[in-house]
Amino acid sequence: MPLLEVREVSTFYGRICALDHVSLDVNEGEIVCLIGANGAGKTTLLNTISGVAPARHGEVLLNGAAITRTPAEKIVGQGISHVPERRQVFGSLTVMENLTLGAYSRFRRDGRASINNDIENVYLLFPVLKTRHKQLAGTLSGGEQQMLAVGRGLMARPKLMLLDEPSLGLAPLIVQEIFRILADLRRQGTTILLVEQNARAALRCADRGYVLENGRVVLSGAAAELSESELLQRAYLGKRNHRNRSG
Ligand SMILES: Nc1ncnc2c1ncn2[C@@H]1O[C@H](COP(=O)(O)OP(=O)(O)OP(=O)(O)O)[C@@H](O)[C@H]1O
Ligand SMILES: [Mg+2]
């Protein structure tokens, strides 16, 4: 059974149909990427899974159980951590306070010691955050804020992480760093559904991918196959690797 199943989901904003019968699944331990142009519905799909923009039709299942109409705050407790677009950290709180808040859904269950231990683990993954643990998050650089947003998502000990454009607006070296960390997370057993405009980098680190256009899945498959597909090469990867190029 897949960890996450999205079955024929349609999501609307008023009368606007943003997702049209979308189906997708994510198996435990996989990195699956979602590729698509601006406005294709990628963020909406993550918001539908995390309960922020619930589906009007269709079902979302986590470990076989429907969460389609579960409120967002309960979905976190069930093991889905959503790191939204544009690194929304709490700017007036410190790095450490942001990380602690990421664990709020497990405070009562796990207690302070276990949470402190997980903060140390986040610092191992992102050493730069440790050197800045008392700094206000709003004064971190863009890349540092992105790392903090991912770190905060990890603090909930999710079964599944939804990451919305973690590389957006970052310098190439930091982007590389983010993708290196995603690979580390996968090795540690975290399952990830990743939205990326940087299709090339996403397909390099993902196992499988789905391509969204106008709210519909138009293509899906193994990452290696998708990198070779005509449609992707034309629309999202540029023509650099085009095999049938003349001259
Ligand atoms: N709150 C909203 N109210 C009305 N329409 C919305 C809302 N949020 C998104 N939309 C519309 O739904 C469609 C899908 O938007 P979405 O944000 O999911 O796209 P996206 O693939 O994440 O794009 P981007 O790459 O630009 O982030 C767009 O046409 C957008 O204008
Ligand atoms: Mg988006």
Side-chain angles (χ1 to χ4, degrees):
M1 185 202 302
L3 177 61
L4 176 80
E5 260 181 277
V6 173
R7 283 194 198 150
E8 296 282 323
V9 153
S10 299
T11 300
F12 290 74
Y13 297 108
R15 284 183 179 174
I16 297 167
C17 178
L19 295 178
D20 185 6
H21 295 87
V22 168
S23 294
L24 142 170
D25 47 52
V26 180
N27 299 307
E28 201 167 341
E30 278 188 317
I31 296 184
V32 172
C33 67
L34 271 179
I35 295 166
N38 293 124
K42 306 179 298 294
T43 295
T44 303
L45 182 50
L46 296 194
N47 285 342
T48 294
I49 295 166
S50 67
V52 175
R56 188 174 294 177
H57 305 297
E59 291 288 352
V60 179
L61 301 111
L62 183 65
N63 279 322
I67 56 165
T68 324
R69 273 157 266 289
T70 306
E73 63 276 13
K74 290 208 175 138
I75 288 181
V76 183
Q78 296 190 9
I80 298 184
S81 215
H82 184 182
V83 181
E85 228 169 355
R86 292 172 214 292
R87 36 180 182 272
Q88 297 166 8
V89 295
F90 299 105
S92 56
L93 300 181
T94 66
V95 166
M96 197 162 40
E97 288 163 345
N98 267 277
L99 291 176
T100 305
L101 272 181
Y104 77 90
S105 64
R106 39 185 282 252
F107 244 101
R108 234 180 280 164
R109 190 181 65 222
D110 293 355
R112 187 77 223 187
S114 138
I115 285 161
N116 285 344
N117 185 52
D118 282 6
I119 290 182
E120 284 308 317
N121 283 335
V122 168
Y123 288 158
L124 284 178
L125 212 50
F126 304 99
V128 65
L129 294 181
K130 181 166 183 140
T131 66
R132 295 172 181 268
H133 70 287
K134 285 192 175 156
Q135 189 171 329
L136 295 184
T139 64
L140 295 172
S141 76
E144 290 162 354
Q145 288 188 28
Q146 187 59 64
M147 292 176 200
L148 179 56
V150 175
R152 192 181 58 189
L154 284 170
M155 289 299 296
R157 290 208 183 161
K159 295 178 197 142
L160 172 68
M161 273 195 108
L162 309 176
L163 293 178
D164 201 344
E165 311 230 22
S167 74
L168 191 72
L170 301 180
L173 269 180
I174 311 290
V175 173
Q176 268 182 34
E177 176 81 359
I178 296 271
F179 278 101
R180 181 188 62 71
I181 285 157
L182 295 186
D184 280 355
L185 285 177
R186 205 254 301 263
R187 270 192 291 278
Q188 295 173 13
T190 311
T191 307
I192 298 171
L193 180 57
L194 169 71
V195 166
E196 259 296 331
Q197 294 242 340
N198 186 342
R200 197 181 298 276
L203 288 172
R204 228 180 278 130
C205 88
D207 300 288
R208 291 189 300 116
Y210 290 81
V211 182
L212 273 182
E213 269 180 27
N214 297 319
R216 297 206 179 119
V217 173
V218 293
L219 192 66
S220 65
E225 287 167 24
L226 286 181
S227 324
E228 295 294 314
S229 102
E230 272 286 311
L231 174 95
L232 238 85
Q233 301 226 346
R234 207 162 6 92
Y236 303 101
L237 298 172
K239 288 198 172 178
R240 273 202 282 156
N241 296 330
H242 205 290
R243 285 178 164 178
N244 302 324
R245 183 172 46 190
S246 54

